[in-house]
C-alpha cells in the first residue's frame, strides 16, 4: 500500500503555547482526537501529524527534518539559532524578553549594566544585546525562577520573559530594557519537498483565514435613512457594507465587518451618527 504524505508539525506538549496551538489547528478545521498525554497524533481529516514536544527542542527537530513545521516562541527561536524558516506570526504567546533590576537600583541607560551579574535562561540573546551596546557583564544561566536570583544574591539583575509584569513586581524588580518582543510563530524546515509544501500552503491559507476572522467582528445595525450616507462613510467593508430596507419605512439595516483595533471608536461614532440596535457577532472564518 502506498504511504500517504503527511505534514509533521511539532507543538508544545504542555505549557503556555499548548492550548492556543491546538485551538488554532482545530479552528482550521483539523480534527485532533485524544491529544491529552499523547506523544503524537494523526488527524483524520487533514494530512497532518502532530508531535508534542518541549518547546526548547522544537527548532532543532524542525531544522533536522524530524518535524516539517513547528509552533514556537520567537524567544526560543532566537536563543537556539537554528536554521529554520519563519513562515507566519500567530498572534498568541505574546511576551518580551526584558532586563529588570532591583526597584531601588539607580539606572542610567544600558551602561549601568557594565560589570553586573545577569541571571537569565536566554544567554545567547542577552550576550548579543550586551555586545551590541558594548557592555561587558557576566551572564549566569539558570533554567527557572530567574526572578528570585537578585533576592538570594545569585545575580545583580535579571533578563527574563515578561507579559503582565506581575512576577517582576512581586519580586521587587523593575523593567529597564526590552531585548526582544516575542510571540508564537510557525516555522518550517528549509527543504520541504513539493508535496509537503503543498500541504503547508493549504494549512497557511486556513491559518490566515482564522487569524483574520479572530481580528474582526460582524456588525449589524439599524440606521435612519437620512443618516445612511454618513453612517456608510464611517464603515470599511470587504467591498462595501450591505444595506437592506427595514419593514419600518425610513430605516435600513446595515451589515459590515469591523477590525478589532478600530472597533470601539467606530461603534461610538456610529451611535453618534444615529445608528441603533447594534449587534456584534464573532466571525469564524474570513476568506478573501
Ligand atoms: O516544558 P517546556 O520547556 O515546553 O515549557 P517552558 O516551561 O519552557 O515554557 P512555558 O510553557 O512557560 O512558555 C512557553 C512560551 O510561552 C515561552 O517560550 C514564551 O514564548 C511564551 N510566553 C508568553 C511566556 C510568557 N508569556 C510568560 N509570561 N513564557 C513564560 N512566561 C513566564 C516568565 O518566564 C515569568 O516567569 O511568566 C512569568 C512572567 O509573567 P508575568 O505575567 O508575571 O509578567
Ligand atoms: Zn522550555
Amino acid at each position: 500500500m502506498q504511504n500517504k504524505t503527511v505534514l509533521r508539525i511539532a507543538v508544545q506538549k504542555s505549557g503556555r503555547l499548548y492550548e492556543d496551538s491546538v485551538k488554532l489547528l482545530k479552528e482550521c478545521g483539523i480534527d485532533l482526537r485524544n491529544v491529552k498525554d499523547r506523544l503524537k497524533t494523526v488527524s483524520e481529516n487533514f494530512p497532518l501529524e502532530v508531535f508534542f514536544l518541549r518547546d526548547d527542542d522544537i527548532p532543532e527537530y524542525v531544522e533536522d527534518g524530524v518535524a516539517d513545521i513547528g509552533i514556537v516562541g520567537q524567544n526560543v527561536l532566537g536563543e537556539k539559532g537554528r536554521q529554520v524558516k519563519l513562515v507566519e506570526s500567530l498572534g498568541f504567546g505574546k511576551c518580551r524578553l526584558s532586563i529588570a533590576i532591583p526597584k531601588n537600583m539607580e539606572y542610567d541607560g544600558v551602561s549601568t549594566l557594565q560589570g553586573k551579574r545577569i541571571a537569565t535562561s536566554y544567554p545567547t540573546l542577552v550576550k548579543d544585546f550586551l555586545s551590541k551596546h558594548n557592555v561587558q557583564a557576566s551572564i549566569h544561566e539558570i533554567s527557572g525562577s530567574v526572578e528570585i536570583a537578585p533576592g538570594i544574591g545569585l545575580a545583580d539583575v535579571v533578563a527574563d520573559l515578561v507579559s503582565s509584569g506581575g512576577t517582576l513586581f512581586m519580586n521587587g524588580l523593575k523593567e529597564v530594557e526590552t531585548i526582544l518582543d516575542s510571540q508564537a510563530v510557525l516555522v518550517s524546515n528549509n527543504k520541504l519537498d513539493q508535496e509537503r509544501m503543498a500541504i503547508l500552503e493549504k494549512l497557511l491559507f486556513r491559518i490566515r483565514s482564522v487569524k483574520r476572522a479572530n481580528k474582526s467582528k460582524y456588525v449589524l445595525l439599524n440606521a435612519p435613512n437620512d443618516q445612511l450616507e454618513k453612517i456608510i462613510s464611517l464603515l470599511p467593508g470587504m467591498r462595501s457594507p450591505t444595506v437592506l430596507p427595514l419593514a419600518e419605512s425610513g430605516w435600513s439595516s446595515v451589515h459590515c465587518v469591523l477590525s478589532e483595533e478600530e472597533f470601539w471608536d467606530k461603534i461610538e461614532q456610529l451611535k453618534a451618527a444615529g445608528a441603533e440596535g447594534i449587534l456584534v457577532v464573532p466571525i469564524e472564518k474570513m476568506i478573501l
Side-chain angles (χ1 to χ4, degrees):
M1 209 176 74
Q2 211 185 356
N3 270 341
K4 209 172 125 235
T5 304
V6 295
L7 191 71
R8 297 156 304 168
I9 184 170
V11 304
Q12 193 187 21
K13 180 169 167 49
S14 65
R16 289 170 192 264
L17 302 183
Y18 167 79
E19 271 180 28
D20 283 331
S21 303
V22 169
K23 179 166 156 256
L24 175 66
L25 296 176
K26 289 188 172 169
E27 283 174 346
C28 287
I30 297 169
D31 261 355
L32 294 175
R33 291 187 197 146
N34 311 319
V35 288
K36 274 265 160 266
D37 302 323
R38 294 279 290 270
L39 294 179
K40 59 180 190 171
T41 185
V42 182
S43 170
E44 307 220 337
N45 67 349
F46 193 85
L48 193 75
E49 181 169 24
V50 187
F51 296 162
F52 297 101
L53 301 166
R54 284 202 58 196
D55 66 346
D56 313 69
D57 298 332
I58 291 176
E60 181 180 348
Y61 275 76
V62 173
E63 181 187 60
D64 293 349
V66 176
D68 303 307
I69 59 173
I71 296 178
V72 69
Q74 283 169 300
N75 51 310
V76 172
L77 200 60
E79 180 63 24
K80 301 290 174 189
R82 296 287 176 164
Q83 297 302 307
V84 295
K85 204 187 296 173
L86 199 163
V87 182
E88 183 82 8
S89 301
L90 300 175
F92 59 83
K94 285 190 177 166
C95 59
R96 52 198 183 272
L97 178 64
S98 292
I99 306 243
I101 66 173
K103 67 172 186 287
N104 43 20
M105 182 173 156
E106 295 271 333
Y107 191 76
D108 190 22
V110 188
S111 60
T112 309
L113 302 171
Q114 180 72 31
K116 297 280 191 292
R117 295 168 303 159
I118 306 179
T120 188
S121 306
Y122 295 89
T124 308
L125 288 170
V126 174
K127 212 188 297 162
D128 289 351
F129 174 82
L130 293 174
S131 65
K132 206 170 79 194
H133 289 89
N134 291 316
V135 169
Q136 275 83 44
S138 60
I139 295 173
H140 292 254
E141 183 178 353
I142 48 179
S143 56
S145 303
V146 171
E147 66 280 358
I148 66 168
I152 60 172
L154 189 69
D156 305 306
V157 307
V158 303
D160 199 10
L161 298 179
V162 185
S163 45
S164 68
T167 304
L168 293 183
F169 182 77
M170 301 248 293
N171 286 278
L173 300 170
K174 63 179 178 193
E175 216 176 334
V176 291
E177 300 286 342
T178 302
I179 297 177
L180 176 84
D181 281 306
S182 177
Q183 61 176 294
V185 290
L186 186 72
V187 292
S188 89
N189 178 272
N190 277 324
K191 295 186 221 99
L192 284 192
D193 62 34
Q194 266 192 343
E195 272 182 290
R196 291 199 166 88
M197 198 58 124
I199 303 172
L200 175 57
E201 284 303 323
K202 260 189 174 179
L203 178 64
L204 266 180
F205 178 79
R206 295 188 186 192
I207 288 176
R208 287 174 183 150
S209 305
V210 169
K211 268 175 62 183
R212 228 178 273 125
N214 287 343
K215 278 202 219 141
S216 307
K217 302 271 178 252
Y218 195 73
V219 177
L220 303 93
L221 58 87
N222 295 335
N225 286 347
D226 55 3
Q227 288 297 313
L228 208 48
E229 210 170 311
K230 171 134 195 246
I231 286 174
I232 290 172
S233 74
L234 292 169
L235 299 174
M238 288 246 265
R239 288 203 188 277
S240 55
T242 307
V243 181
L244 302 165
L246 284 186
E248 186 181 336
S249 72
W251 285 80
S252 296
S253 169
V254 179
H255 304 189
C256 70
V257 173
L258 287 185
S259 78
E260 209 171 52
E261 297 105 58
E262 60 182 358
F263 179 75
W264 287 110
D265 280 348
K266 285 283 181 202
I267 294 291
E268 280 162 21
Q269 292 168 21
L270 290 166
K271 272 173 66 97
E276 289 183 10
I278 305 175
L279 282 183
V280 181
V281 188
I283 300 174
E284 197 174 302
K285 309 278 185 305
M286 210 160 127
I287 321 287
L288 293 184

